[in-house]
Amino acid sequence: MNAFRLLASLAAAAALAATTAACSAASLGTAIADGRPAASASAQPSQPADPGQVKEVHSPSRVTVDEQLPAGHCRARAVDAAAGKYLPDHACTPGAVDPAVTQATIDSTICRAGYTGSVRPSSAAMAQVKAESLRDYGQSASATTEYDHLVSLELGGANSVSNLWPEPNRAGATGTTNPKDAVENALHRAVCAHTVTLAAAQTAIAHDWTTALHVLGL
């Protein structure tokens, strides 16, 4: 009888230990899913976004670091290097828009004088994330490289790492002015004139700014 009781006690203890381990594992899984990994877990870079998947990020006057990419992981693509036409790596820079800027609010946001200045982060804040993005893209600092919003602020673009990239310029350029600036201005005029929808302009410039005007018939 004593032996039987001993075996029963051992079986109960084993069952309790298994249940406790399962609960601990479940708790750890929840902590990691909630963004609070255990202290012993090493931080891992976030994975690149899905190409072509424009995100929504509300971050006026500050830069949201919504991606952490390995150094040298990204590559800008030259469409016409002599003309300064480069595209970002869409797996790293898919683009992001501010959900507060909609078709219904353009007259009080992007089409209002002074809007971009009211939401643009400080130079110091931009410089901090620009240095990291240069490493992500395997580029060296240059006075002609613009840390550019893929979807521009004047089109409701977001201040987020997923929407910012170090845009190379043409050979011989003396500053950061590049061909994309003219495309952004033309799209902004069309959106504010209500000849092109905000969503169409955002999608076109995020996909390929070099073809955006042609795609939209401008």
Side-chain angles (χ1 to χ4, degrees), residues 47-215:
Q47 293 299 312
D50 293 333
Q53 184 63 44
V54 177
K55 303 172 69 175
E56 289 192 349
V57 181
H58 182 60
S59 55
S61 304
R62 67 184 188 279
V63 180
T64 295
V65 181
D66 57 344
E67 292 181 344
Q68 290 182 335
L69 304 167
H73 181 84
C74 314
R75 287 289 183 272
R77 179 165 67 89
V79 176
D80 185 342
K85 294 183 178 181
Y86 289 87
L87 295 177
D89 187 328
H90 283 288
C92 301
T93 314
V97 298
D98 186 344
V101 181
T102 66
Q103 188 66 42
T105 66
I106 59 172
D107 290 330
S108 60
T109 54
I110 62 170
C111 298
R112 175 178 57 82
Y115 167 78
T116 58
S118 71
V119 298
R120 189 181 301 278
S122 68
S123 299
M126 293 286 277
Q128 291 177 6
V129 286
K130 179 180 180 178
E132 182 63 33
S133 289
L134 283 167
R135 287 191 289 269
D136 296 342
Y137 271 81
Q139 296 180 23
S140 300
S142 169
T144 64
T145 297
E146 179 182 5
Y147 194 43
D148 195 23
H149 292 79
L150 178 57
V151 180
S152 62
L153 292 179
E154 61 186 328
L155 291 173
N159 295 309
S160 64
V161 171
S162 58
N163 192 48
L164 286 160
W165 66 296
E167 182 182 9
N169 211 335
R170 66 190 183 282
T174 58
T176 59
T177 300
N178 59 66
K180 183 171 178 285
D181 297 334
V183 174
E184 294 170 352
N185 293 338
L187 290 175
H188 178 257
R189 288 193 296 269
V191 170
C192 292
H194 298 271
T195 57
V196 170
T197 66
L198 175 65
Q202 291 174 335
T203 299
I205 199 168
H207 177 68
D208 186 338
W209 70 263
T210 68
T211 63
L213 297 181
H214 174 72
V215 166

